[in-house]
Amino acid sequence: MAINTFEQLLNECTRRGKRIWQIAQAYESEWCEVPVNLVRQCATNSLQAMKEAIRTGLKSTEMSMSGMCGNDCDKLQKRFAIRPAIFGKTFEKIMTYALATSEENIRMGKIVACPTAGSCGIVPSVIISVAEDFDISEERQVNALITAGEIGRIISAKVALAGAVAGCQAECGAAAAMAAGAVTQLLGGTPKQVLNAVGLALKNILGLTCDPVCGLVEVPCVKRNPFMAIIAMTACEMALSDIETKIPVDEVVDAMDQTGQLMSPTLKESSLGGLARTKTALELQAKIFGK
């Protein structure tokens, strides 16, 4: 049976007594006509690539070709070395890992688009930081990543995961929803709690514009990754406390689709509005590309 909504997914989990990752990997195996162990190996390879991007990004201060981004992760690490973050070590890791990964992207390093390159730091920073600090096995991290993938797949059945179609709510917003569900799974949440986390994260990011300065996936994109990762953790903590989204997650996705359609084209990756047309942004554009 094709699963194209979160309601169908939850019903299938309930009917079969399975977790989301179990349903997802079986579905992927059948759809791609490959063994389940190959599905899991692909997810493991992605997880390892995410970890490598973090390791590389944490050590680099190389700036992007535009010169706008590249050393913020280093600044953050130096700051935390002097005074730890108020919210603790895991909070520090999530922020630095998200920046490390996103800065690797703008250096043209190897990253995993999840679901897009511009939102690549959100899912890995949350899964890997929590796994490290709670000593969670690689097997369970893979389960969480498969869960994230299934969340992204179902969202994409209704809304194209592209800033040019629905704004950044469809990129960093979708990534925050994926991360929220994934980490809820990682910490033992039920399928219902996982989907509540998805809904809680996504409905609080509706309307997020895509207005990249100079048309580059740097400002505000890079710093947006750690912000969205923290939103994902907030949704997880609420969901694990059995706080529910009053609007079912499928309806939240419908609202995101509608919001994207109503959004002005100037705020959907065109760089014709929002931050991209501020005085400073135009000065940067002239400096980088010439008048």
Side-chain angles (χ1 to χ4, degrees):
M1 183 191 81
I3 298 173
N4 293 314
T5 69
F6 289 106
E7 182 180 16
Q8 291 173 346
L9 178 61
L10 183 57
N11 288 341
E12 192 68 3
C13 288
T14 302
R15 184 179 71 83
R16 297 175 58 185
K18 302 285 188 180
R19 297 283 182 167
I20 289 172
W21 61 268
Q22 292 173 308
I23 300 293
Q25 68 182 17
Y27 179 86
E28 190 76 8
S29 171
E30 180 181 354
W31 181 259
C32 298
E33 298 181 345
V34 297
V36 168
N37 69 305
L38 183 57
V39 174
R40 293 189 64 82
Q41 185 57 55
C42 287
T44 302
N45 292 345
S46 291
L47 180 66
Q48 294 306 322
M50 289 173 172
K51 291 180 178 180
E52 180 58 30
I54 289 171
R55 283 192 292 268
T56 305
L58 288 172
K59 293 183 287 188
S60 180
T61 56
E62 180 186 348
M63 301 298 287
S64 65
M65 290 183 67
S66 73
M68 289 195 296
C69 297
N71 62 352
D72 289 329
C73 181
D74 182 63
K75 291 178 181 177
L76 201 58
Q77 290 180 88
K78 288 177 178 176
R79 151 70 165 72
F80 288 149
I82 296 170
R83 198 195 80 181
I86 293 171
F87 293 125
K89 191 66 179 177
T90 305
F91 179 85
E92 291 182 12
K93 283 188 176 182
I94 290 170
M95 289 190 69
T96 53
Y97 288 10
L99 272 178
T101 305
S102 192
E103 288 184 342
E104 270 303 283
N105 176 53
I106 54 97
R107 295 187 194 103
M108 306 304 289
K110 182 180 179 180
I111 54 89
V112 178
C114 46
T116 65
S119 61
C120 65
I122 299 167
V123 172
S125 67
V126 170
I127 291 178
I128 294 166
S129 297
V130 172
E132 287 180 352
D133 287 357
F134 288 81
D135 195 25
I136 294 172
S137 69
E138 180 178 272
E139 179 182 10
R140 288 172 59 194
Q141 292 175 58
V142 170
N143 295 345
L145 191 55
I146 291 172
T147 300
E150 181 70 350
I151 293 163
R153 184 189 69 80
I154 292 177
I155 293 173
S156 71
K158 287 190 175 183
V159 186
L161 303 180
V165 175
C168 200
Q169 58 173 356
E171 294 201 24
C172 285
M178 291 163 65
V183 73
T184 302
Q185 165 64 53
L186 194 68
L187 294 172
T190 65
K192 184 178 180 181
Q193 289 173 326
V194 169
L195 297 189
N196 270 316
V198 173
L200 288 166
L202 200 55
K203 74 180 185 181
N204 285 292
I205 304 172
L206 293 182
L208 189 61
T209 60
C210 182
D211 48 357
V213 171
C214 301
L216 302 173
V217 187
E218 298 185 27
V219 179
C221 320
V222 170
K223 294 187 237 346
R224 185 167 282 173
N225 277 250
F227 276 96
M228 295 300 108
I230 298 306
I231 286 176
M233 286 304 308
T234 303
C236 168
E237 294 287 14
M238 287 186 174
L240 288 174
S241 303
D242 287 325
I243 296 173
E244 299 184 1
T245 171
K246 298 302 181 185
I247 307 300
V249 64
D250 285 308
E251 294 180 33
V252 177
V253 177
D254 289 339
M256 183 172 76
D257 182 29
Q258 181 192 50
T259 302
Q261 292 179 43
L262 293 171
M263 193 179 291
S264 168
T266 64
L267 299 173
K268 294 193 287 188
E269 210 172 293
S270 64
S271 296
L272 295 176
L275 288 174
R277 303 307 290 178
T278 59
K279 176 177 178 289
T280 298
L282 293 175
E283 290 172 352
L284 286 168
Q285 184 172 310
K287 179 180 178 182
I288 295 169
F289 296 110
K291 295 183 179 180

